[in-house]
């Protein structure tokens, strides 16, 4: 027979009671209220209340109060090289004590993009497991990086191998590369000449280059001119946990790269150690933060992953809200009129 259920025509079995209808719909009686032809059917009557052809049945439940504001816009997505993401936290996969912990921290961080190194060793861990067994390529955009490369040729080979691997997985990160060309193993600072050379080649080969660099504004300009999809200045040396050491240079980079292109992404990469470092980077106006050691090296990585997630959100909100002016002297926040006792009383 046919009835009208919550305003929609629906075919249901004959000889139907309210209790049986709720069972068919897999609804708990204590979670709903039911009307038949606008008459309330109390729970005590569910078993005996029959439903006839053509009846109008309303089943309601409780929901969160209020309605979404249709005018309230969703937070804008971050677009890099044709890809858009909502989370502005990019998280690495190294240094975790176990692959299980890595997976839990990535989930807690809310990240959508995870970075992985491309290596010939460590295809499997001691238990015969590969890192890709713990990364869902349908959930995450995997960003291969050229970490550990000390010249342009090594970085180009690594980038091409990473693309081949991710194309096989069908992952959208196949045309991305996080480019690192390091100058020496002690400081892990970028080699500016080799980085610029590799950027030009990779851009010509169709890569979207996410480029690790120093906080030198001139170098940042050159990398953007070379076609880098985003410039990623270090807050401080890789893994140092010192935070953003030179905020003035970061401000200059943001000013220069966004002057004629306000949507050009600038992401802090390296050196952040805790949530306050992340918030500061975002408050400066950066579009995101990439980190690894700050989470993996924490005493409680899972809790730190949550903290980093909240810090990105808080820092971005604060940047958009606009902080108060810094002043030399105090300004009372309470009104000075109507005080009970005058000054000196």
């Amino acid at each position: 027979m046919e009835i009208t259920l919550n305003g929609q025509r629906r075919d249901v079995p004959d000889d139907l009671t309210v209790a049986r209808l709720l069972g068919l719909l897999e609804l708990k009686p204590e979670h709903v209220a039911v009307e038949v032809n606008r008459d309330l059917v109390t729970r005590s009557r569910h078993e005996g209340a029959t439903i006839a052809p053509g009846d109008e049945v309303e089943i309601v439940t409780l929901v969160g109060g209020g309605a979404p504001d249709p005018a309230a816009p969703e937070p804008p997505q971050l677009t890099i090289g044709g890809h858009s993401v909502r989370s502005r936290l990019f998280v690495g996969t190294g240094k975790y004590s176990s692959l299980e912990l890595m997976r839990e921290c990535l989930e807690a961080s809310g990240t959508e993009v995870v970075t992985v190194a491309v290596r010939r060793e460590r295809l499997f861990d001691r238990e015969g497991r590969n890192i890709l067994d713990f990364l869902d390529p349908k959930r995450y955009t995997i960003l291969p990086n050229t970490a550990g490369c000390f010249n342009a040729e090594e970085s180009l080979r690594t980038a091409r191998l990473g693309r081949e691997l991710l194309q096989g997985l069908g992952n959208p990160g196949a045309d991305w590369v996080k480019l690192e060309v390091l100058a020496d193993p002690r400081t892990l600072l970028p080699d500016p000449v080799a980085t610029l050379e590799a950027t030009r080649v990779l851009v010509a080969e169709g890569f979207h280059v996410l480029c690790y660099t120093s906080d030198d504004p001139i170098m940042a300009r050159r990398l953007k001119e070379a076609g880098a999809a985003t410039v990623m200045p270090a807050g401080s040396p890789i893994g140092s946990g010192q935070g953003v050491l030179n905020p003035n240079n970061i401000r200059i980079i943001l000013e220069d790269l966004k002057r004629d292109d306000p949507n050009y992404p600038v992401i802090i990469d390296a050196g952040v150690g805790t949530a306050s470092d992340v918030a500061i980077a975002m408050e400066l106006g950066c579009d995101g933060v990439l980190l690894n050691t700050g989470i993996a090296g924490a005493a409680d990585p899972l809790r730190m992953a949550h903290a980093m997630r909240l810090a990105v959100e808080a820092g971005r909100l604060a940047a958009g809200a606009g902080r108060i002016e810094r002043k030399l002297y105090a300004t009372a926040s309470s009104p000075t009129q109507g005080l009970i006792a005058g000054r000196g009383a």
Side-chain angles (χ1 to χ4, degrees):
M1 65 179 178
E2 184 180 89
I3 65 171
T4 301
L5 176 60
N6 287 356
Q8 301 291 324
R9 301 279 184 145
R10 183 148 180 175
D11 289 320
V12 294
D14 296 332
D15 301 322
L16 195 63
T17 64
V18 169
R20 189 179 172 203
L21 175 61
L22 295 180
L24 290 173
L25 297 174
E26 298 183 349
L27 296 173
K28 295 181 179 180
E30 63 269 25
H31 288 179
V32 297
V34 183
E35 283 183 345
V36 177
N37 298 325
R38 301 199 176 189
D39 288 331
L40 177 66
V41 181
T42 60
R43 269 191 292 281
S44 62
R45 297 171 49 213
H46 284 185
E47 291 290 344
T50 59
I51 298 174
D55 279 352
E56 295 183 4
V57 180
E58 292 287 334
I59 302 176
V60 300
T61 189
L62 299 179
V63 297
D69 180 0
E74 291 187 354
Q77 293 185 328
L78 173 61
T79 300
I80 302 174
H83 299 285
S84 295
V85 294
R86 295 206 177 277
S87 172
R88 290 166 183 265
L89 183 63
F90 298 67
V91 181
T93 51
K95 301 186 178 180
Y96 292 95
S97 60
S98 71
L99 291 172
E100 288 84 0
L101 179 60
M102 175 202 74
R103 180 170 57 192
E104 291 174 6
C105 288
L106 293 178
E107 183 173 350
S109 74
T111 188
E112 297 171 52
V113 179
V114 298
T115 65
V116 294
V118 180
R119 294 285 190 274
R120 63 163 67 98
E121 75 273 14
R122 287 184 295 169
L123 292 173
F124 303 98
D125 68 5
R126 294 179 210 173
E127 298 174 32
R129 304 175 303 176
N130 184 283
I131 191 173
L132 293 175
D133 296 329
F134 292 80
L135 289 178
D136 184 354
K138 295 180 180 177
R139 176 174 182 175
Y140 298 111
T141 295
I142 299 175
L143 173 60
N145 68 43
T146 63
C149 294
F150 289 89
N151 59 59
E153 183 181 357
E154 287 177 5
S155 68
L156 294 174
R157 290 180 60 202
T158 303
R160 292 162 184 154
L161 288 166
R163 177 164 62 182
E164 172 66 19
L165 196 157
L166 290 182
Q167 283 177 338
L169 291 174
N171 189 270
D175 61 355
W176 274 12
V177 62
K178 185 197 168 204
L179 178 64
E180 295 181 22
V181 189
L182 305 177
D184 67 77
R186 183 174 63 88
T187 66
L188 298 181
L189 290 171
D191 180 325
V193 176
T195 298
L196 187 57
E197 176 188 344
T199 297
R200 289 172 174 149
V201 174
L202 290 171
V203 168
E205 293 183 6
F207 283 92
H208 298 297
V209 180
L210 291 77
C211 195
Y212 166 66
T213 182
S214 68
D215 60 9
D216 174 12
I218 305 305
M219 188 63 196
R221 257 187 259 165
R222 297 290 179 264
L223 290 169
K224 181 183 178 184
E225 291 167 358
T230 175
V231 170
M232 307 175 75
S236 53
I238 292 173
S240 70
Q242 296 184 67
V244 181
L245 290 181
N246 196 341
N248 289 336
N249 271 24
I250 301 300
R251 289 190 182 98
I252 294 171
I253 289 172
L254 289 163
E255 182 181 298
D256 286 354
L257 302 192
K258 290 177 175 289
R259 180 178 290 112
D260 300 318
D261 188 1
N263 293 322
Y264 185 81
V266 176
I267 297 173
I268 288 292
D269 176 13
V272 296
T274 190
S276 58
D277 298 333
V278 171
I280 287 170
M282 297 302 292
E283 287 178 22
L284 286 171
C286 293
D287 298 281
V289 175
L290 190 151
L291 58 87
N292 184 180
T293 308
I295 292 177
D300 187 338
L302 191 56
R303 183 175 294 185
M304 185 61 79
H306 281 285
M308 296 300 197
R309 176 181 189 165
L310 295 173
V312 165
E313 296 172 5
R316 181 165 173 77
L317 284 171
R323 63 159 293 127
I324 64 172
E325 178 187 355
R326 288 183 171 91
K327 299 176 182 177
L328 180 60
Y329 298 106
T331 303
S333 57
S334 299
T336 57
Q337 294 80 19
L339 293 174
I340 295 173
R343 194 186 322 177

